[in-house]
């Protein structure tokens, strides 16, 4: 009876252990050894194409409104400084993305990186969050295009009747046919091929950038004629103080979201090791320069308190006698929204394809067209869903949920950099079909290792048995040297393991410290003493763990992890740590309502993962082997096939 209960307990413990391990199982970096079945995505994109995708996705119509609202309520003339600080904060995430994109150039972006560095459950969480972001983001952008088109044409009355918004009385729903049609057009373009869609993206983005250049040049000319009246405030460059300027930076930070769309096309890039980091860097640099120049001009044309919060740029030109400039500004806003719509719908089919390849979603989403070499089924599915949402729903209230997916992805990517540098995966999964080669190579290497150890021991024994110099009255020195050599050898084997464990624990402690500190800084209803105590505890944990990481040597295995020779993130661990802290604070600053809605979505995702993804994962029957065995196993497998 007792033995039976013990057996049941051990079986239950074994199942729990196996279940936990399945949540943190990690996949292999795609390499020359990994041959995908079926057709592949077409590698046709250059650094210029990636930059057009990134800039088009990042510069939305929001900047045409954002400059007025933020300048009036938060920054005043210091709006340019806020854009610069926000750009530098976004650059922290861009550096992390650039290294991972060049090391792991496959579809899936942050989901793919999290699966390799952290584990399956976190990867699913990120992938599920990004699905929500892309779907709601695309629908929200599409709903914003039709009013701008109506404004450009002089009012809704000038729109064709079938494009005008109207209300369904029985449902009380305002439908937007124009938004749905635009989503379907973009979906068709994306199905035509990656080179074709990127060409259209480049053209639309160029028109948008030209509109912004017109604002900068014409606005700068007008400001020079009027004497830059917006800055004649007698020392009031920071009218809302430093806090106002930082608050403005937190708001405009979201105008830089979109550069990560570049990594979504990693598998379609000709030279990913060079072009992906270059595309990310050029995207962020160009966007930051344009944002800063536009803000300099607009705040200089009109005093910040006189800016129109709804149409700041058009109103600034109208106040200086250039009413016709409103058409160019509106054209820029329309093209910006169209480029953002294309950029929002481009990564999602590739994300679904990556998740389906890994078995977490049905194989239907992983099919690639033989003619266009794009995931047509995934593209059509996501396009139809976004079109339905854009037609029936006003998703503006859900727009805050878009930020959650992006900020979670930014945070996880920075954590992945720390793991990659200090504790990269030691084992890689291989299919169970290679089991015989794995056993053969493991036995061969173990035998070689044992014979080497036996030889070293015999050599040491021979040295010990040599005539000691003590017979001639001199002190013996052979044995102490041998003993010291063995001790140093054992330490060399133990130190990497000890250093790795210390690094893992300190990365975990750093994340806990960030969570405590940002929670204390964001929650407003707590007493001041509790605020201060939590903040002090979180800061202490954060700083101590960061100091320990800075003192540790980075793992030597990082040099051979993934595709080598690409971009390396600088200032590790400080840069990823700052990235984690900033993005966590922004996450905690989102409203309670947003988090409630996101939590419902994540619970739904957990149910989908438990019921399907966990059971169908491609790693379910995988065999994990040390990295050192990998080349030997593939060599043995290749020779057997030959």
């Amino acid at each position: 009876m007792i033995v039976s209960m013990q057996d049941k307990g051990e079986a239950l413990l074994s199942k729990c252990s196996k279940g936990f391990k399945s949540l943190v199982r990690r996949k292999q970096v795609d390499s020359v050894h990994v041959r995908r079945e079926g057709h592949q995505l077409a590698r046709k994109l250059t650094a210029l194409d990636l930059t057009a995708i990134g800039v088009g996705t990042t510069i939305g119509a929001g900047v045409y409104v954002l400059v007025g609202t933020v300048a009036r309520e938060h920054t005043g003339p210091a709006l340019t400084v806020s854009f610069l600080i926000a750009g530098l904060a976004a650059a922290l995430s861009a550096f992390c993305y650039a290294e991972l994109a060049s090391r792991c150039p496959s579809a899936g972006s942050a989901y793919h990186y999290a699966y390799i560095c952290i584990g399956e459950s976190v990867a699913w969480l990120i992938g599920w969050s990004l699905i929500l972001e892309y779907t709601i983001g695309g629908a929200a952008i599409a709903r914003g295009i039709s009013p701008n088109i109506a404004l450009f044409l002089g009012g809704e009355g000038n729109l064709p009747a079938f494009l005008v918004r109207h209300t369904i009385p029985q449902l009380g729903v305002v439908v937007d046919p124009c938004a749905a049609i635009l989503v379907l057009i973009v979906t068709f373009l994306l199905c035509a091929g990656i080179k074709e869609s990127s060409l259209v993206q480049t053209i639309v983005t160029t028109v948008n950038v030209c509109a912004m250049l017109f604002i900068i040049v014409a606005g700068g000319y007008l400001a020079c004629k009027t004497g830059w009246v917006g800055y004649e405030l007698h020392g009031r460059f920071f009218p809302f103080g430093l806090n106002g300027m930082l608050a403005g930076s937190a708001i405009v930070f979201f105008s830089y979201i979109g550069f990560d769309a570049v990594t979504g096309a990693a598998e379609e890039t000709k030279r990913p090791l060079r072009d992906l980091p270059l595309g990310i860097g050029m995207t962020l640099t160009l966007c930051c320069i344009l944002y800063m120049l536009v803000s300099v001009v607009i705040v200089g044309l009109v005093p910040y308190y006189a800016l129109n919060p709804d149409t700041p740029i058009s109103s600034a030109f109208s106040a200086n006698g250039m009413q016709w400039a409103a058409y160019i500004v509106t054209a820029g806003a329309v093209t910006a929204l169209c480029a953002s719509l294309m950029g929002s719908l481009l990564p999602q089919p590739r994300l679904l394809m990556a998740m389906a390849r890994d078995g977490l979603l049905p194989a239907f989403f992983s099919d690639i067209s033989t003619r266009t070499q794009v995931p047509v089924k995934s593209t059509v599915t996501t396009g139809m869903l976004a079109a339905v949402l854009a037609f029936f729903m006003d998703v503006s209230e859900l727009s805050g949920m878009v930020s959650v997916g992006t900020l979670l992805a930014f945070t996880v990517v920075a954590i992945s950099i720390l793991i990659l540098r200090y504790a990269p995966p030691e084992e890689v999964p291989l299919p169970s079909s290679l089991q015989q080669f794995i056993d053969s190579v493991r036995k061969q290497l173990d035998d070689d290792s044992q014979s080497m150890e036996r030889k070293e021991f015999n050599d040491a024994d021979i040295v010990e048995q040599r005539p000691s110099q003590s017979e001639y009255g001199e002190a013996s020195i052979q044995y102490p040297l041998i003993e010291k050599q063995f001790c140093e050898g054992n330490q060399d084997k133990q130190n990497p393991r000890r250093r790795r464990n210390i690094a893992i624990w300190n990365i975990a402690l750093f994340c806990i410290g960030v969570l405590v500190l940002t929670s204390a800084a964001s929650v407003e209803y707590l007493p001041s003493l509790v605020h201060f105590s939590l903040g002090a505890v979180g800061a202490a944990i954060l700083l101590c763990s960061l100091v320990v990481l800075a003192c540790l040597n980075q793992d030597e295995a990082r040099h051979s992890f993934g595709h080598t020779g690409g971009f390396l993130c600088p200032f590790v661990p400080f840069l990823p740590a700052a990235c984690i802290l900033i993005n966590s604070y922004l996450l905690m600053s989102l409203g309670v309502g947003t988090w409630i809605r996101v939590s419902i979505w994540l619970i739904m995702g957990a149910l989908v993962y438990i019921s399907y993804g966990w059971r169908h994962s491609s790693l379910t029957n995988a065999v994990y082997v040390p990295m050192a065995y990998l080349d030997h196993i593939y060599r043995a497998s290749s020779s057997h096939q030959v």
Side-chain angles (χ1 to χ4, degrees), residues 276-349:
L276 285 170
L278 196 58
I280 293 172
M282 290 171 63
T283 293
L284 205 58
T285 302
L286 187 57
C287 290
C288 187
I289 292 172
L290 289 173
Y291 286 158
M292 290 176 66
L293 291 177
V294 168
S295 61
V296 165
V297 168
I298 297 306
V299 177
L301 268 179
V302 180
Y304 72 91
Y305 50 80
L307 283 171
N308 188 316
D310 297 321
T311 56
I313 299 178
S314 302
S315 300
F317 278 102
S318 298
N320 288 273
M322 290 181 62
Q323 288 81 359
W324 54 270
Y327 290 100
I328 297 178
V329 174
T330 306
V334 171
T335 54
L337 283 167
C338 290
S340 292
L341 178 60
M342 293 186 68
S344 180
L345 294 179
L346 174 68
Q348 185 171 1

Side-chain angles (χ1 to χ4, degrees), residues 559-636:
H559 297 301
S560 58
F561 183 83
H563 296 249
T564 57
F567 179 84
L568 293 177
C569 178
F571 309 117
V572 177
F574 301 107
L575 190 149
C579 178
I580 295 168
L581 183 61
I582 291 171
N583 291 310
S584 299
Y585 175 74
L586 293 173
L587 275 169
M588 291 297 177
S589 299
L590 296 173
V592 176
T594 297
W595 273 110
I596 292 174
R597 288 189 286 267
V598 169
S599 298
I600 294 172
W601 175 255
L602 294 180
I603 291 171
M604 292 170 57
L607 295 175
V608 173
Y609 174 69
I610 293 171
S611 60
Y612 185 89
W614 181 62
R615 300 175 185 275
H616 294 82
S617 171
S618 59
L619 300 182
T620 300
N621 297 316
V623 181
Y624 282 81
V625 299
M627 293 279 287
Y629 291 11
L630 198 59
D631 290 335
H632 298 282
I633 293 169
Y634 280 122
R635 203 177 298 125

